Amino acid sequence: MKKIQIAGLTALTLLGSLTAVQAASATTDPVGYVTTTLKADSFTLVGITLHEATEATGAFETVSGTSLTDTDIDFSALLEADTTYILEITSGDAAGVIQEITSTDASTNVLSTPDDLTALGAGNSIANGDSYKIRKAATISSIFGASNSAGLNEGTSLSLADVIWVQNGSGAFDKYFYHSGQTIPFPITEGWKNSSLTDVSNTPLIYTDGLMIQNSDITDNTLTITGTVVNTSKKIEVTTGFNLLGTVYPVGTTLASSDLNSQIQQGSSLSTADVIWMSDGAGDFNKYFYHVGQTIPFPIAAGWKNVSLADSSTQQISGAIFIERHTGDITITTPSY
């Protein structure tokens, strides 16, 4: 049993090994697939590096706080009721910003977002005339199959089935599993459930969020996710504390080529710099930070280092990572390809 305490905010108990997402294979652009090995009796970090197809595009004539207006499009005709949609800004300073759409007003063609996109700070804020795309949010069912076509181990409780862990934004995780169905001691229909046995098949999963999948089997399993390839730059919010992110970096991106060093806190040690956590494939984590360089008490060149202060600039970034952010919220920008 491993207990990980990060930034004093959250404790995560891992009942086995935690393994980074494995090599990704893409078919044609824009549609592709990612195959991940789910290690036996362990946890696997999984990045949803593919997203849903575009449902609508346009440009906002007016942006005001959390309200965005496009008078040239009928949102009520294009967007389905009781469905979660993702807004992606595609031009201007806010290009790459992603938001979950909280509501639409058909009478005024106004979209609402949870955050004020005009107040994201220099180089990030939206302005009148910026263009956008709208996609459906992926869901538990669309990623893993309404009838569990992904082949995760089923069961009648969290302790008997594979478990999908999703960070909920409050320093904890929501847990989901595929219930095989039962009639006694009380009837439960087959399907995706949470710890309270409530149906979660339509629970949205945002492609910049990382997942952990707990494989309860004694043998390895594989998970294949299909969708539209993410090939443009994205902006991902990182808050103070412990962040589990789906990185959506191009395959083969290294710490050096990621440009993370210019976006996160640099320092002379793990305690003074932001830390990138990636699985070592053997049940623990490798930790990396950007060293500012020093001459005393012994010289260290500036650059990406591991805990032994060895150069780690060529370390490839996995599909899902943890970022330990020491102080203040930031927005990181991924490269396009």
Side-chain angles (χ1 to χ4, degrees):
M1 179 176 291
K2 301 177 184 298
K3 181 174 285 186
I4 302 167
Q5 183 79 26
I6 298 185
L9 294 180
T10 182
L12 175 63
T13 301
L14 304 185
L15 306 178
S17 65
L18 183 59
T19 305
V21 64
Q22 303 298 307
S25 301
T27 56
T28 58
D29 188 6
V31 176
Y33 66 89
V34 172
T35 298
T36 303
T37 298
L38 306 179
K39 300 299 291 183
D41 191 28
S42 65
F43 286 70
T44 300
L45 288 179
V46 176
I48 310 173
T49 52
L50 301 167
H51 52 59
E52 302 297 296
T54 300
E55 300 283 340
T57 62
F60 294 116
E61 287 86 5
T62 306
V63 295
S64 176
T66 60
S67 298
L68 314 172
T69 304
D70 182 358
T71 58
D72 298 324
I73 193 168
D74 183 357
F75 292 123
S76 63
L78 292 173
L79 308 183
E80 300 172 10
D82 301 320
T83 302
T84 300
Y85 287 90
I86 304 302
L87 171 71
E88 177 187 338
I89 308 304
T90 57
S91 71
D93 287 345
V97 167
I98 299 166
Q99 288 272 294
E100 183 176 320
I101 297 173
T102 55
S103 67
T104 60
D105 187 333
S107 64
T108 58
N109 282 1
V110 172
L111 297 180
S112 295
T113 56
D115 297 321
D116 182 351
L117 302 188
T118 66
L120 298 179
N124 292 311
S125 295
I126 193 173
N128 294 347
D130 285 349
S131 58
Y132 65 88
K133 291 181 179 179
I134 295 176
R135 310 175 192 274
K136 284 184 181 179
T139 65
I140 296 288
S141 286
S142 70
I143 292 177
F144 299 99
S147 300
N148 188 27
S149 57
L152 298 187
N153 291 303
E154 304 174 6
T156 55
S157 68
L158 287 168
S159 63
L160 298 175
D162 290 351
V163 181
I164 302 166
W165 296 58
V166 182
Q167 199 165 24
N168 61 20
S170 61
F173 286 80
D174 294 326
K175 291 177 280 188
Y176 310 122
F177 73 104
Y178 194 87
H179 198 295
S180 52
Q182 67 182 47
T183 56
I184 55 173
F186 49 85
I188 298 177
T189 57
E190 179 180 348
W192 294 104
K193 311 293 183 182
N194 61 14
S195 57
S196 301
L197 301 181
T198 302
D199 178 76
V200 293
S201 57
N202 291 323
T203 298
L205 298 175
I206 312 307
Y207 58 88
T208 52
D209 292 340
L211 308 177
M212 291 194 300
I213 298 181
Q214 180 183 357
N215 181 6
S216 62
D217 210 341
I218 59 174
T219 59
D220 292 354
N221 198 356
T222 57
L223 171 68
T224 298
I225 298 174
T226 61
T228 302
V229 176
V230 177
N231 58 8
T232 57
S233 178
K234 297 291 180 286
K235 294 186 177 182
I236 306 174
E237 183 181 3
V238 173
T239 61
T240 301
F242 196 38
N243 300 262
L244 174 56
L245 304 177
T247 58
V248 295
Y249 283 101
V251 173
T253 299
T254 64
L255 287 171
S257 64
S258 69
D259 196 39
L260 274 172
N261 61 289
S262 68
Q263 302 175 65
I264 64 174
Q265 178 65 45
Q266 303 177 6
S268 57
S269 68
L270 291 169
S271 62
T272 59
D274 291 345
V275 182
I276 309 298
W277 297 62
M278 289 188 275
S279 173
D280 66 357
D284 212 335
F285 289 93
N286 289 324
K287 294 178 280 187
Y288 306 97
F289 72 102
Y290 194 89
H291 200 296
V292 292
Q294 67 181 46
T295 56
I296 55 173
F298 49 85
I300 298 177
W304 286 102
K305 310 295 180 183
N306 61 17
V307 294
S308 301
L309 300 181
D311 179 73
S312 302
S313 58
T314 60
Q315 171 64 45
Q316 291 191 11
I317 297 179
S318 53
I321 62 175
F322 293 106
I323 294 183
E324 179 186 359
R325 173 68 177 170
H326 283 301
T327 305
D329 299 347
I330 58 172
T331 299
I332 63 173
T333 303
T334 67
S336 59
Y337 65 101

PDB file of all heavy atoms in Angstrom, residues 173-203:
ATOM      1  N   PHE A 173     -11.285  12.385  -5.442  1.00  0.00           N
ATOM      2  CA  PHE A 173     -11.613  11.692  -6.681  1.00  0.00           C
ATOM      3  C   PHE A 173     -13.016  11.115  -6.613  1.00  0.00           C
ATOM      4  O   PHE A 173     -13.445  10.598  -5.574  1.00  0.00           O
ATOM      5  CB  PHE A 173     -10.618  10.548  -6.943  1.00  0.00           C
ATOM      6  CG  PHE A 173      -9.261  10.994  -7.392  1.00  0.00           C
ATOM      7  CD1 PHE A 173      -8.338  11.459  -6.475  1.00  0.00           C
ATOM      8  CD2 PHE A 173      -8.901  10.960  -8.726  1.00  0.00           C
ATOM      9  CE1 PHE A 173      -7.087  11.870  -6.869  1.00  0.00           C
ATOM     10  CE2 PHE A 173      -7.652  11.370  -9.135  1.00  0.00           C
ATOM     11  CZ  PHE A 173      -6.741  11.829  -8.210  1.00  0.00           C
ATOM     12  N   ASP A 174     -13.730  11.183  -7.754  1.00  0.00           N
ATOM     13  CA  ASP A 174     -14.959  10.417  -7.929  1.00  0.00           C
ATOM     14  C   ASP A 174     -14.575   9.078  -8.542  1.00  0.00           C
ATOM     15  O   ASP A 174     -13.651   8.994  -9.362  1.00  0.00           O
ATOM     16  CB  ASP A 174     -15.936  11.151  -8.846  1.00  0.00           C
ATOM     17  CG  ASP A 174     -16.447  12.447  -8.229  1.00  0.00           C
ATOM     18  OD1 ASP A 174     -16.604  12.489  -6.991  1.00  0.00           O
ATOM     19  OD2 ASP A 174     -16.664  13.410  -8.974  1.00  0.00           O
ATOM     20  N   LYS A 175     -15.306   8.019  -8.167  1.00  0.00           N
ATOM     21  CA  LYS A 175     -14.968   6.681  -8.638  1.00  0.00           C
ATOM     22  C   LYS A 175     -16.170   6.044  -9.338  1.00  0.00           C
ATOM     23  O   LYS A 175     -17.289   6.096  -8.831  1.00  0.00           O
ATOM     24  CB  LYS A 175     -14.518   5.811  -7.448  1.00  0.00           C
ATOM     25  CG  LYS A 175     -13.181   6.247  -6.861  1.00  0.00           C
ATOM     26  CD  LYS A 175     -12.780   5.435  -5.654  1.00  0.00           C
ATOM     27  CE  LYS A 175     -13.483   5.905  -4.405  1.00  0.00           C
ATOM     28  NZ  LYS A 175     -12.960   5.236  -3.187  1.00  0.00           N
ATOM     29  N   TYR A 176     -15.908   5.444 -10.505  1.00  0.00           N
ATOM     30  CA  TYR A 176     -16.954   4.848 -11.318  1.00  0.00           C
ATOM     31  C   TYR A 176     -16.560   3.428 -11.696  1.00  0.00           C
ATOM     32  O   TYR A 176     -15.375   3.124 -11.880  1.00  0.00           O
ATOM     33  CB  TYR A 176     -17.185   5.665 -12.595  1.00  0.00           C
ATOM     34  CG  TYR A 176     -17.380   7.146 -12.362  1.00  0.00           C
ATOM     35  CD1 TYR A 176     -16.547   8.094 -12.962  1.00  0.00           C
ATOM     36  CD2 TYR A 176     -18.400   7.618 -11.543  1.00  0.00           C
ATOM     37  CE1 TYR A 176     -16.725   9.450 -12.748  1.00  0.00           C
ATOM     38  CE2 TYR A 176     -18.589   8.975 -11.329  1.00  0.00           C
ATOM     39  CZ  TYR A 176     -17.746   9.884 -11.937  1.00  0.00           C
ATOM     40  OH  TYR A 176     -17.928  11.218 -11.714  1.00  0.00           O
ATOM     41  N   PHE A 177     -17.577   2.553 -11.866  1.00  0.00           N
ATOM     42  CA  PHE A 177     -17.316   1.175 -12.279  1.00  0.00           C
ATOM     43  C   PHE A 177     -18.515   0.638 -13.048  1.00  0.00           C
ATOM     44  O   PHE A 177     -19.593   1.227 -13.024  1.00  0.00           O
ATOM     45  CB  PHE A 177     -17.018   0.288 -11.063  1.00  0.00           C
ATOM     46  CG  PHE A 177     -18.225  -0.039 -10.223  1.00  0.00           C
ATOM     47  CD1 PHE A 177     -18.822  -1.290 -10.287  1.00  0.00           C
ATOM     48  CD2 PHE A 177     -18.777   0.913  -9.350  1.00  0.00           C
ATOM     49  CE1 PHE A 177     -19.939  -1.594  -9.510  1.00  0.00           C
ATOM     50  CE2 PHE A 177     -19.883   0.619  -8.565  1.00  0.00           C
ATOM     51  CZ  PHE A 177     -20.469  -0.641  -8.652  1.00  0.00           C
ATOM     52  N   TYR A 178     -18.289  -0.472 -13.747  1.00  0.00           N
ATOM     53  CA  TYR A 178     -19.383  -1.082 -14.501  1.00  0.00           C
ATOM     54  C   TYR A 178     -20.002  -2.190 -13.668  1.00  0.00           C
ATOM     55  O   TYR A 178     -19.378  -3.212 -13.387  1.00  0.00           O
ATOM     56  CB  TYR A 178     -18.904  -1.646 -15.838  1.00  0.00           C
ATOM     57  CG  TYR A 178     -20.055  -1.981 -16.764  1.00  0.00           C
ATOM     58  CD1 TYR A 178     -20.581  -1.002 -17.598  1.00  0.00           C
ATOM     59  CD2 TYR A 178     -20.630  -3.251 -16.777  1.00  0.00           C
ATOM     60  CE1 TYR A 178     -21.660  -1.281 -18.435  1.00  0.00           C
ATOM     61  CE2 TYR A 178     -21.702  -3.542 -17.605  1.00  0.00           C
ATOM     62  CZ  TYR A 178     -22.216  -2.550 -18.433  1.00  0.00           C
ATOM     63  OH  TYR A 178     -23.278  -2.824 -19.253  1.00  0.00           O
ATOM     64  N   HIS A 179     -21.272  -1.959 -13.274  1.00  0.00           N
ATOM     65  CA  HIS A 179     -22.005  -2.921 -12.445  1.00  0.00           C
ATOM     66  C   HIS A 179     -22.573  -4.008 -13.350  1.00  0.00           C
ATOM     67  O   HIS A 179     -23.205  -3.720 -14.361  1.00  0.00           O
ATOM     68  CB  HIS A 179     -23.130  -2.210 -11.691  1.00  0.00           C
ATOM     69  CG  HIS A 179     -23.658  -2.962 -10.519  1.00  0.00           C
ATOM     70  ND1 HIS A 179     -24.315  -4.157 -10.642  1.00  0.00           N
ATOM     71  CD2 HIS A 179     -23.621  -2.683  -9.173  1.00  0.00           C
ATOM     72  CE1 HIS A 179     -24.666  -4.598  -9.449  1.00  0.00           C
ATOM     73  NE2 HIS A 179     -24.257  -3.713  -8.530  1.00  0.00           N
ATOM     74  N   SER A 180     -22.349  -5.255 -12.980  1.00  0.00           N
ATOM     75  CA  SER A 180     -22.804  -6.372 -13.803  1.00  0.00           C
ATOM     76  C   SER A 180     -24.289  -6.662 -13.655  1.00  0.00           C
ATOM     77  O   SER A 180     -24.838  -7.506 -14.372  1.00  0.00           O
ATOM     78  CB  SER A 180     -21.997  -7.632 -13.457  1.00  0.00           C
ATOM     79  OG  SER A 180     -22.016  -7.876 -12.052  1.00  0.00           O
ATOM     80  N   GLY A 181     -24.952  -5.942 -12.728  1.00  0.00           N
ATOM     81  CA  GLY A 181     -26.382  -6.129 -12.528  1.00  0.00           C
ATOM     82  C   GLY A 181     -26.681  -7.172 -11.464  1.00  0.00           C
ATOM     83  O   GLY A 181     -25.902  -8.112 -11.247  1.00  0.00           O
ATOM     84  N   GLN A 182     -27.809  -7.014 -10.776  1.00  0.00           N
ATOM     85  CA  GLN A 182     -28.191  -7.966  -9.733  1.00  0.00           C
ATOM     86  C   GLN A 182     -29.698  -7.890  -9.489  1.00  0.00           C
ATOM     87  O   GLN A 182     -30.366  -6.934  -9.864  1.00  0.00           O
ATOM     88  CB  GLN A 182     -27.447  -7.665  -8.427  1.00  0.00           C
ATOM     89  CG  GLN A 182     -27.855  -6.340  -7.775  1.00  0.00           C
ATOM     90  CD  GLN A 182     -27.091  -6.025  -6.502  1.00  0.00           C
ATOM     91  OE1 GLN A 182     -25.863  -6.153  -6.467  1.00  0.00           O
ATOM     92  NE2 GLN A 182     -27.800  -5.616  -5.456  1.00  0.00           N
ATOM     93  N   THR A 183     -30.215  -8.939  -8.853  1.00  0.00           N
ATOM     94  CA  THR A 183     -31.629  -8.969  -8.470  1.00  0.00           C
ATOM     95  C   THR A 183     -31.802  -9.003  -6.960  1.00  0.00           C
ATOM     96  O   THR A 183     -32.833  -8.559  -6.446  1.00  0.00           O
ATOM     97  CB  THR A 183     -32.332 -10.194  -9.079  1.00  0.00           C
ATOM     98  OG1 THR A 183     -31.637 -11.393  -8.673  1.00  0.00           O
ATOM     99  CG2 THR A 183     -32.355 -10.100 -10.597  1.00  0.00           C
ATOM    100  N   ILE A 184     -30.820  -9.543  -6.238  1.00  0.00           N
ATOM    101  CA  ILE A 184     -30.884  -9.599  -4.771  1.00  0.00           C
ATOM    102  C   ILE A 184     -29.595  -9.034  -4.192  1.00  0.00           C
ATOM    103  O   ILE A 184     -28.540  -9.091  -4.853  1.00  0.00           O
ATOM    104  CB  ILE A 184     -31.102 -11.051  -4.267  1.00  0.00           C
ATOM    105  CG1 ILE A 184     -30.006 -11.981  -4.835  1.00  0.00           C
ATOM    106  CG2 ILE A 184     -32.475 -11.552  -4.608  1.00  0.00           C
ATOM    107  CD1 ILE A 184     -30.058 -13.378  -4.260  1.00  0.00           C
ATOM    108  N   PRO A 185     -29.641  -8.422  -3.016  1.00  0.00           N
ATOM    109  CA  PRO A 185     -30.807  -8.250  -2.123  1.00  0.00           C
ATOM    110  C   PRO A 185     -31.790  -7.205  -2.632  1.00  0.00           C
ATOM    111  O   PRO A 185     -32.879  -7.066  -2.094  1.00  0.00           O
ATOM    112  CB  PRO A 185     -30.166  -7.808  -0.821  1.00  0.00           C
ATOM    113  CG  PRO A 185     -28.928  -7.103  -1.244  1.00  0.00           C
ATOM    114  CD  PRO A 185     -28.422  -7.856  -2.435  1.00  0.00           C
ATOM    115  N   PHE A 186     -31.420  -6.446  -3.669  1.00  0.00           N
ATOM    116  CA  PHE A 186     -32.334  -5.511  -4.314  1.00  0.00           C
ATOM    117  C   PHE A 186     -31.879  -5.372  -5.763  1.00  0.00           C
ATOM    118  O   PHE A 186     -30.711  -5.558  -6.085  1.00  0.00           O
ATOM    119  CB  PHE A 186     -32.344  -4.143  -3.604  1.00  0.00           C
ATOM    120  CG  PHE A 186     -30.979  -3.579  -3.346  1.00  0.00           C
ATOM    121  CD1 PHE A 186     -30.309  -2.835  -4.314  1.00  0.00           C
ATOM    122  CD2 PHE A 186     -30.341  -3.806  -2.114  1.00  0.00           C
ATOM    123  CE1 PHE A 186     -29.051  -2.322  -4.070  1.00  0.00           C
ATOM    124  CE2 PHE A 186     -29.077  -3.291  -1.872  1.00  0.00           C
ATOM    125  CZ  PHE A 186     -28.427  -2.549  -2.849  1.00  0.00           C
ATOM    126  N   PRO A 187     -32.800  -5.087  -6.681  1.00  0.00           N
ATOM    127  CA  PRO A 187     -32.429  -5.058  -8.099  1.00  0.00           C
ATOM    128  C   PRO A 187     -31.587  -3.831  -8.462  1.00  0.00           C
ATOM    129  O   PRO A 187     -31.874  -2.712  -8.019  1.00  0.00           O
ATOM    130  CB  PRO A 187     -33.781  -5.035  -8.816  1.00  0.00           C
ATOM    131  CG  PRO A 187     -34.718  -4.442  -7.812  1.00  0.00           C
ATOM    132  CD  PRO A 187     -34.245  -4.898  -6.471  1.00  0.00           C
ATOM    133  N   ILE A 188     -30.540  -4.052  -9.238  1.00  0.00           N
ATOM    134  CA  ILE A 188     -29.716  -2.989  -9.803  1.00  0.00           C
ATOM    135  C   ILE A 188     -29.487  -3.331 -11.266  1.00  0.00           C
ATOM    136  O   ILE A 188     -29.043  -4.440 -11.594  1.00  0.00           O
ATOM    137  CB  ILE A 188     -28.363  -2.854  -9.080  1.00  0.00           C
ATOM    138  CG1 ILE A 188     -28.571  -2.487  -7.604  1.00  0.00           C
ATOM    139  CG2 ILE A 188     -27.489  -1.798  -9.766  1.00  0.00           C
ATOM    140  CD1 ILE A 188     -27.283  -2.407  -6.816  1.00  0.00           C
ATOM    141  N   THR A 189     -29.798  -2.400 -12.144  1.00  0.00           N
ATOM    142  CA  THR A 189     -29.611  -2.643 -13.562  1.00  0.00           C
ATOM    143  C   THR A 189     -28.134  -2.605 -13.917  1.00  0.00           C
ATOM    144  O   THR A 189     -27.329  -1.919 -13.288  1.00  0.00           O
ATOM    145  CB  THR A 189     -30.349  -1.597 -14.404  1.00  0.00           C
ATOM    146  OG1 THR A 189     -29.883  -0.285 -14.041  1.00  0.00           O
ATOM    147  CG2 THR A 189     -31.847  -1.674 -14.176  1.00  0.00           C
ATOM    148  N   GLU A 190     -27.783  -3.349 -14.922  1.00  0.00           N
ATOM    149  CA  GLU A 190     -26.409  -3.354 -15.423  1.00  0.00           C
ATOM    150  C   GLU A 190     -26.053  -1.979 -15.964  1.00  0.00           C
ATOM    151  O   GLU A 190     -26.885  -1.311 -16.582  1.00  0.00           O
ATOM    152  CB  GLU A 190     -26.279  -4.406 -16.526  1.00  0.00           C
ATOM    153  CG  GLU A 190     -24.900  -4.504 -17.151  1.00  0.00           C
ATOM    154  CD  GLU A 190     -24.846  -5.557 -18.237  1.00  0.00           C
ATOM    155  OE1 GLU A 190     -25.802  -6.360 -18.335  1.00  0.00           O
ATOM    156  OE2 GLU A 190     -23.866  -5.568 -18.989  1.00  0.00           O
ATOM    157  N   GLY A 191     -24.827  -1.523 -15.747  1.00  0.00           N
ATOM    158  CA  GLY A 191     -24.393  -0.252 -16.310  1.00  0.00           C
ATOM    159  C   GLY A 191     -23.356   0.443 -15.467  1.00  0.00           C
ATOM    160  O   GLY A 191     -22.892  -0.077 -14.440  1.00  0.00           O
ATOM    161  N   TRP A 192     -22.974   1.651 -15.890  1.00  0.00           N
ATOM    162  CA  TRP A 192     -21.944   2.426 -15.218  1.00  0.00           C
ATOM    163  C   TRP A 192     -22.523   3.086 -13.968  1.00  0.00           C
ATOM    164  O   TRP A 192     -23.536   3.766 -14.030  1.00  0.00           O
ATOM    165  CB  TRP A 192     -21.371   3.489 -16.157  1.00  0.00           C
ATOM    166  CG  TRP A 192     -20.629   2.892 -17.312  1.00  0.00           C
ATOM    167  CD1 TRP A 192     -21.046   2.790 -18.602  1.00  0.00           C
ATOM    168  CD2 TRP A 192     -19.334   2.289 -17.256  1.00  0.00           C
ATOM    169  NE1 TRP A 192     -20.094   2.165 -19.369  1.00  0.00           N
ATOM    170  CE2 TRP A 192     -19.028   1.842 -18.570  1.00  0.00           C
ATOM    171  CE3 TRP A 192     -18.396   2.082 -16.238  1.00  0.00           C
ATOM    172  CZ2 TRP A 192     -17.824   1.207 -18.883  1.00  0.00           C
ATOM    173  CZ3 TRP A 192     -17.202   1.446 -16.544  1.00  0.00           C
ATOM    174  CH2 TRP A 192     -16.926   1.019 -17.852  1.00  0.00           C
ATOM    175  N   LYS A 193     -21.865   2.888 -12.828  1.00  0.00           N
ATOM    176  CA  LYS A 193     -22.357   3.385 -11.551  1.00  0.00           C
ATOM    177  C   LYS A 193     -21.235   4.105 -10.800  1.00  0.00           C
ATOM    178  O   LYS A 193     -20.054   3.898 -11.067  1.00  0.00           O
ATOM    179  CB  LYS A 193     -22.874   2.237 -10.663  1.00  0.00           C
ATOM    180  CG  LYS A 193     -23.830   1.267 -11.339  1.00  0.00           C
ATOM    181  CD  LYS A 193     -25.154   1.909 -11.712  1.00  0.00           C
ATOM    182  CE  LYS A 193     -26.092   0.869 -12.326  1.00  0.00           C
ATOM    183  NZ  LYS A 193     -27.373   1.453 -12.757  1.00  0.00           N
ATOM    184  N   ASN A 194     -21.657   4.940  -9.841  1.00  0.00           N
ATOM    185  CA  ASN A 194     -20.688   5.516  -8.909  1.00  0.00           C
ATOM    186  C   ASN A 194     -20.758   4.755  -7.592  1.00  0.00           C
ATOM    187  O   ASN A 194     -21.422   3.723  -7.495  1.00  0.00           O
ATOM    188  CB  ASN A 194     -20.937   7.014  -8.724  1.00  0.00           C
ATOM    189  CG  ASN A 194     -22.316   7.312  -8.156  1.00  0.00           C
ATOM    190  OD1 ASN A 194     -23.010   6.429  -7.656  1.00  0.00           O
ATOM    191  ND2 ASN A 194     -22.729   8.567  -8.236  1.00  0.00           N
ATOM    192  N   SER A 195     -20.084   5.265  -6.575  1.00  0.00           N
ATOM    193  CA  SER A 195     -20.035   4.571  -5.293  1.00  0.00           C
ATOM    194  C   SER A 195     -21.401   4.484  -4.628  1.00  0.00           C
ATOM    195  O   SER A 195     -21.618   3.624  -3.761  1.00  0.00           O
ATOM    196  CB  SER A 195     -19.040   5.255  -4.359  1.00  0.00           C
ATOM    197  OG  SER A 195     -19.377   6.622  -4.182  1.00  0.00           O
ATOM    198  N   SER A 196     -22.335   5.357  -5.046  1.00  0.00           N
ATOM    199  CA  SER A 196     -23.699   5.314  -4.500  1.00  0.00           C
ATOM    200  C   SER A 196     -24.638   4.479  -5.360  1.00  0.00           C
ATOM    201  O   SER A 196     -25.850   4.470  -5.131  1.00  0.00           O
ATOM    202  CB  SER A 196     -24.255   6.742  -4.369  1.00  0.00           C
ATOM    203  OG  SER A 196     -23.447   7.523  -3.522  1.00  0.00           O
ATOM    204  N   LEU A 197     -24.069   3.825  -6.388  1.00  0.00           N
ATOM    205  CA  LEU A 197     -24.819   2.975  -7.321  1.00  0.00           C
ATOM    206  C   LEU A 197     -25.783   3.769  -8.189  1.00  0.00           C
ATOM    207  O   LEU A 197     -26.768   3.237  -8.699  1.00  0.00           O
ATOM    208  CB  LEU A 197     -25.557   1.861  -6.573  1.00  0.00           C
ATOM    209  CG  LEU A 197     -24.660   0.914  -5.759  1.00  0.00           C
ATOM    210  CD1 LEU A 197     -25.501  -0.168  -5.092  1.00  0.00           C
ATOM    211  CD2 LEU A 197     -23.573   0.298  -6.628  1.00  0.00           C
ATOM    212  N   THR A 198     -25.504   5.058  -8.361  1.00  0.00           N
ATOM    213  CA  THR A 198     -26.271   5.911  -9.269  1.00  0.00           C
ATOM    214  C   THR A 198     -25.708   5.799 -10.674  1.00  0.00           C
ATOM    215  O   THR A 198     -24.485   5.689 -10.865  1.00  0.00           O
ATOM    216  CB  THR A 198     -26.200   7.373  -8.804  1.00  0.00           C
ATOM    217  OG1 THR A 198     -26.711   7.468  -7.475  1.00  0.00           O
ATOM    218  CG2 THR A 198     -26.999   8.284  -9.725  1.00  0.00           C
ATOM    219  N   ASP A 199     -26.571   5.842 -11.674  1.00  0.00           N
ATOM    220  CA  ASP A 199     -26.131   5.758 -13.067  1.00  0.00           C
ATOM    221  C   ASP A 199     -25.261   6.958 -13.425  1.00  0.00           C
ATOM    222  O   ASP A 199     -25.624   8.114 -13.154  1.00  0.00           O
ATOM    223  CB  ASP A 199     -27.336   5.713 -14.004  1.00  0.00           C
ATOM    224  CG  ASP A 199     -26.919   5.676 -15.460  1.00  0.00           C
ATOM    225  OD1 ASP A 199     -26.479   4.610 -15.919  1.00  0.00           O
ATOM    226  OD2 ASP A 199     -27.002   6.735 -16.123  1.00  0.00           O
ATOM    227  N   VAL A 200     -24.100   6.693 -14.018  1.00  0.00           N
ATOM    228  CA  VAL A 200     -23.166   7.768 -14.402  1.00  0.00           C
ATOM    229  C   VAL A 200     -22.765   7.651 -15.867  1.00  0.00           C
ATOM    230  O   VAL A 200     -21.765   8.211 -16.286  1.00  0.00           O
ATOM    231  CB  VAL A 200     -21.911   7.759 -13.505  1.00  0.00           C
ATOM    232  CG1 VAL A 200     -22.260   8.126 -12.069  1.00  0.00           C
ATOM    233  CG2 VAL A 200     -21.191   6.398 -13.566  1.00  0.00           C
ATOM    234  N   SER A 201     -23.549   6.941 -16.660  1.00  0.00           N
ATOM    235  CA  SER A 201     -23.164   6.684 -18.044  1.00  0.00           C
ATOM    236  C   SER A 201     -22.981   7.957 -18.854  1.00  0.00           C
ATOM    237  O   SER A 201     -22.153   7.999 -19.775  1.00  0.00           O
ATOM    238  CB  SER A 201     -24.204   5.788 -18.715  1.00  0.00           C
ATOM    239  OG  SER A 201     -25.496   6.366 -18.641  1.00  0.00           O
ATOM    240  N   ASN A 202     -23.721   9.017 -18.511  1.00  0.00           N
ATOM    241  CA  ASN A 202     -23.618  10.279 -19.257  1.00  0.00           C
ATOM    242  C   ASN A 202     -22.757  11.320 -18.544  1.00  0.00           C
ATOM    243  O   ASN A 202     -22.759  12.499 -18.921  1.00  0.00           O
ATOM    244  CB  ASN A 202     -25.010  10.849 -19.514  1.00  0.00           C
ATOM    245  CG  ASN A 202     -25.803  10.011 -20.493  1.00  0.00           C
ATOM    246  OD1 ASN A 202     -25.249   9.478 -21.461  1.00  0.00           O
ATOM    247  ND2 ASN A 202     -27.094   9.855 -20.245  1.00  0.00           N
ATOM    248  N   THR A 203     -22.016  10.911 -17.543  1.00  0.00           N
ATOM    249  CA  THR A 203     -21.112  11.833 -16.851  1.00  0.00           C
ATOM    250  C   THR A 203     -20.035  12.314 -17.810  1.00  0.00           C
ATOM    251  O   THR A 203     -19.329  11.499 -18.421  1.00  0.00           O
ATOM    252  CB  THR A 203     -20.461  11.144 -15.646  1.00  0.00           C
ATOM    253  OG1 THR A 203     -21.482  10.775 -14.713  1.00  0.00           O
ATOM    254  CG2 THR A 203     -19.457  12.060 -14.972  1.00  0.00           C
TER     255      THR A 203
END
